[in-house]
Amino acid sequence: MRKLLNGLLLAAACTATSAGAQQADPASASLAITHVTVVDVAGGSSRADQTVLVAGNRILAVGPAAGVRVPAGARVVDGAGKYLIPGLWDMHAHITDRRASLNLYVANGVTAVRDMGAIRFATAKAWRDSIAAGWMQGPRMRIATPIVERPDWLAWVDSINPGAPWLAERFGPTSPEHAVRWLDSVAALGPDHVKVRNWPRDTTVSRALVNRARELGLPVYAHANEPFPRSGVSSYEHSIFPPLQISPAARDSLWRKWAAAGTGIVPTLVTWPERLQPLDSLIAKIDPARNPMYRYASAEQIAEWREEYRSRVHETPVDWTAFYQAAVTNAREMHAAGVTLMAGSDGGLPTVFPGFGLHDELVQLVTLAGMTPLEALRAATLAPARFLGLADSLGTVEAGKLADLVLLDADPLADVSNTRRIHAVILNGRHLDRQALDALLAEVERMSGH
């Protein structure tokens, strides 16, 4: 019953017809962005000199400035020379236990995230529900179950790091029956999807997990680590590990199968630099004095990250350069074959900061995956909304949709890195100007002790 109630509340929050919104009284608008260029991520064009009215948490009207009346009492934001895009999605995030990360997402125009395994499930759930209820400020969230792993991998980790607290947030199914029982139990807690990191070596266990998730209405998102199922998984994360040893024609056939099935790919290309650099160099860079990004991390976090890198001495040596080249080739081929690529940063890694990493990933989608700036922007806006079944309320700047918007100082279609040039964020109808966004960042620095 609780899961049904959560679903009804989500549907109520994310569903409204454009027709109904357009019939609303323009005088009810509380915010007006005037003379702005609206970036149409669906049609691929930009519409200059537009006025956008927002009432509550919905877009009330979008149209030529000359034809849209700004009601008395509305807060007016001069959008001349600026560009309005939909709020950004990070489709591969890891919810930490630091509320400061919420500030970083919002300050970077990331108004929604898909969690792919939180430090603590209970924290992610509490944040998701509190944000949805309006009790906390942060991005909209879709949250994962505790992460599914291979039992032997969990045993190996426990042998080198006995009693690691995060192991309690992982699950290693040992049989099909075990997988089904666990999924039935965890589904009652209210996750939005299942996350698999390492597939069990016994493929009957994997198939039981995927089939039961489908019966429960929970999509499965997973790493493409062998032996991974080639069907039944809604999206694959990162790259295929190890790289497929098949012909280009066979790869193309697989990509086209995934394209036809609507399978999503979140390549997280931004994460590769940490695998391509020597460990001692990475450890040295985790220093606020050498890299200003680390002013957003506490001394405790920095110590944990350094220790995480040091622990990699236990890993089997791998030619990461070859794997990286295969990942880039696959991303380009998938895109060319029509597979839905979406932007995700794997935020939570020591080298990828929440919010900031999403902008870096957009650049990588253009430079490495062969996307145009429009396609990369779509991969962080409309594509996630469509993939998650939320395109009726999110993903474009249209009347009737939720007012999750980002106002930019430069054209993202000319250069996708312009998504970093944020003038303001409208988060669920609330206008946060540059001063407010800078205050969020400053608060993170204070919380981190810098």
Side-chain angles (χ1 to χ4, degrees), residues 29-53:
S30 55
L31 174 68
I33 306 170
T34 61
H35 304 290
V36 70
T37 296
V38 172
V39 178
D40 179 4
V41 295
S45 62
S46 295
R47 300 192 301 274
D49 199 26
Q50 302 284 295
T51 287
V52 177
L53 299 182

Side-chain angles (χ1 to χ4, degrees), residues 298-346:
S298 67
E300 181 183 17
Q301 271 189 303
I302 289 173
E304 289 175 356
W305 285 339
R306 287 173 176 162
E307 184 57 35
E308 178 182 332
Y309 281 139
R310 292 188 184 101
S311 71
R312 287 188 179 179
V313 299
H314 299 286
E315 294 182 349
T316 302
V318 169
D319 182 1
W320 289 110
T321 300
F323 281 25
Y324 165 69
Q325 292 170 346
V328 171
T329 296
N330 288 348
R332 295 184 74 92
E333 290 179 350
M334 289 175 187
H335 174 56
V339 178
T340 298
L341 267 63
M342 294 177 288
S345 70
D346 208 6

Side-chain angles (χ1 to χ4, degrees), residues 267-287:
T268 63
L269 297 168
V270 72
T271 64
W272 276 104
E274 70 146 10
R275 281 296 184 180
L276 301 176
Q277 298 179 48
L279 282 178
D280 56 351
S281 297
L282 284 171
I283 293 170
K285 288 178 180 178
I286 302 177
D287 183 350

Side-chain angles (χ1 to χ4, degrees), residues 189-438:
L189 300 177
D192 297 301
H193 50 264
V194 179
K195 165 67 185 295
V196 180
R197 183 174 176 273
N198 286 309
W199 288 97
R201 298 187 190 278
D202 184 346
T203 57
T204 65
V205 177
S206 300
R207 182 49 55 192
L209 185 76
V210 170
N211 289 343
R212 185 56 178 157
R214 182 186 297 112
E215 292 169 357
L216 293 170
L218 290 173
V220 176
Y221 306 140
H223 290 201
N225 294 344
E226 295 287 5
F228 69 93
R230 300 297 199 273
S231 62
V233 176
S234 296
S235 76
Y236 293 103
E237 312 300 306
H238 313 308
S239 58
I240 297 175
F241 184 88
L244 292 173
Q245 299 300 313
I246 58 177
S247 69
R251 288 200 308 270
D252 184 68
S253 177
L254 179 59
W255 309 154
R256 294 188 184 280
K257 177 182 177 181
W258 285 353
T263 303
I265 302 293
V266 185
T268 63
L269 297 168
V270 72
T271 64
W272 276 104
E274 70 146 10
R275 281 296 184 180
L276 301 176
Q277 298 179 48
L279 282 178
D280 56 351
S281 297
L282 284 171
I283 293 170
K285 288 178 180 178
I286 302 177
D287 183 350
R290 298 186 62 179
N291 186 335
M293 285 302 300
Y294 289 97
R295 68 186 185 274
Y296 299 125
S298 67
E300 181 183 17
Q301 271 189 303
I302 289 173
E304 289 175 356
W305 285 339
R306 287 173 176 162
E307 184 57 35
E308 178 182 332
Y309 281 139
R310 292 188 184 101
S311 71
R312 287 188 179 179
V313 299
H314 299 286
E315 294 182 349
T316 302
V318 169
D319 182 1
W320 289 110
T321 300
F323 281 25
Y324 165 69
Q325 292 170 346
V328 171
T329 296
N330 288 348
R332 295 184 74 92
E333 290 179 350
M334 289 175 187
H335 174 56
V339 178
T340 298
L341 267 63
M342 294 177 288
S345 70
D346 208 6
L349 287 178
T351 55
V352 181
F353 277 77
F356 294 97
L358 193 279
H359 297 284
D360 296 335
E361 178 67 6
L362 293 178
V363 173
Q364 299 292 351
L365 289 175
V366 172
T367 58
L368 298 179
M371 287 184 161
T372 65
L374 170 64
E375 290 169 336
L377 185 59
R378 192 179 287 152
T381 54
L382 183 55
R386 286 174 171 169
F387 179 80
L388 295 170
L390 299 174
D392 59 345
S393 292
L394 294 167
T396 56
V397 183
E398 294 181 84
K401 295 201 171 184
L402 288 164
D404 285 357
L405 306 164
V406 185
L407 187 61
L408 303 174
D409 285 324
D411 185 1
L413 301 188
D415 183 344
V416 76
S417 67
N418 286 333
T419 57
R420 296 188 180 102
R421 299 182 60 181
I422 297 174
H423 185 81
V425 172
I426 294 85
L427 179 68
N428 199 35
R430 183 185 178 191
H431 176 257
L432 301 169
D433 61 16
R434 188 65 257 173
Q435 183 177 3
L437 300 178
D438 289 340

Side-chain angles (χ1 to χ4, degrees), residues 1 47 94-95 100 120 130 140 181 200 202 246 263 281 331 338 347 399:
M1 177 62 72
R47 300 192 301 274
H94 291 281
I95 302 302
R120 293 177 180 82
S130 295
R140 302 175 193 277
R181 288 198 306 272
D202 184 346
I246 58 177
T263 303
S281 297

